Amino acid sequence: MTTAFHEILFPLDIAFGSAGGPERRTEIVALASGREERNARWAHSRRRYDAGYGIKTFDALSQVIAFFEERRGMLHGFRWRDRLDHSSAAPGVSVTALDQTLGFGDGTTDSFQLLKTYGAAFAPYARPIVKPVAGSVRVAVGGMELEDGFDVDVTTGVVMLSEPPGLGDAVTAGFLFDVPVRFDTEYLEVDMSAFASGAIPKIPLIEIRL
C-alpha cells in the first residue's frame, strides 16, 4: 500500500516557533565486566517536533486544526520547515552549488540523490534529502556550476543530469529543504480556557521515511 503524502508545507510562522530535533535509536548491552557494547538500531536519525510551541493566537490554533483535519490526522504526510536545519549551507551562509558532495562520476551514472553530510573527522553522517524546496537547488560538476543540463525531482530529491559526469568528477549541490513528517497523534486536545491562560497545546509531529 502506498503511503499518502501531501506536497504542502505546514504554516511557516507556526513551524518557526516550534521545538524539536533529531532522534536516534541505540541498543546498549552491559557486559559482566562493566563494559558496554553499543549498536545503532537505525542507519538514519528521525526527527520529532512539537508544533504547539509555535501557536500564539487563536487564529494560529484554528489554522492548525484545519490543517490536521485535511491531513486526516496521522494518515497523510506533509512538508515541515525546520528552522534550525533547512539549508545545505551553514546557518547564515548563502547556498552555493559546492555545498554538499553527492557523488563522483563513473562515466555512466546520470542521477544522484541529494545528501547533506554532518561532521567530517570521525564518522560523517550523510543524510538523504528527499524534499528539496522547488527552485532552490544549484548543481555543479567538477567544480563548475551548471546553468542548465539538469533536472530535480522535488518529491524525491533526485538530481538527473542530461549527461553522465566524467570519471572522477565531483557532483555537488546546494539547496533548501523540508522534512517529510506526519502528525503523531490522532487527537488534538484543545482546552480553550487553558490556552487563554498561556498554556501550550501539544501537537507532536514525527519524520516519515519515504
Side-chain angles (χ1 to χ4, degrees), residues 147-175:
E147 296 299 327
D148 51 29
F150 73 94
D151 194 14
V152 181
D153 187 337
V154 295
T155 67
T156 64
V158 173
V159 175
M160 294 154 287
L161 304 176
S162 58
E163 58 182 50
L167 186 64
D169 285 348
V171 180
T172 59
F175 44 85

Side-chain angles (χ1 to χ4, degrees), residues 118-193:
Y118 299 79
F122 296 96
Y125 165 59
R127 174 187 177 188
I129 301 300
V130 299
K131 295 296 177 185
V133 175
S136 74
V137 181
R138 302 172 66 177
V139 178
V141 175
M144 301 295 293
E145 183 168 3
L146 303 179
E147 296 299 327
D148 51 29
F150 73 94
D151 194 14
V152 181
D153 187 337
V154 295
T155 67
T156 64
V158 173
V159 175
M160 294 154 287
L161 304 176
S162 58
E163 58 182 50
L167 186 64
D169 285 348
V171 180
T172 59
F175 44 85
L176 302 177
F177 64 94
D178 299 318
V179 183
V181 302
R182 63 167 172 80
F183 287 100
D184 196 26
T185 180
E186 294 280 29
Y187 170 52
L188 289 186
E189 182 177 6
V190 180
D191 184 333
M192 298 301 287
S193 60

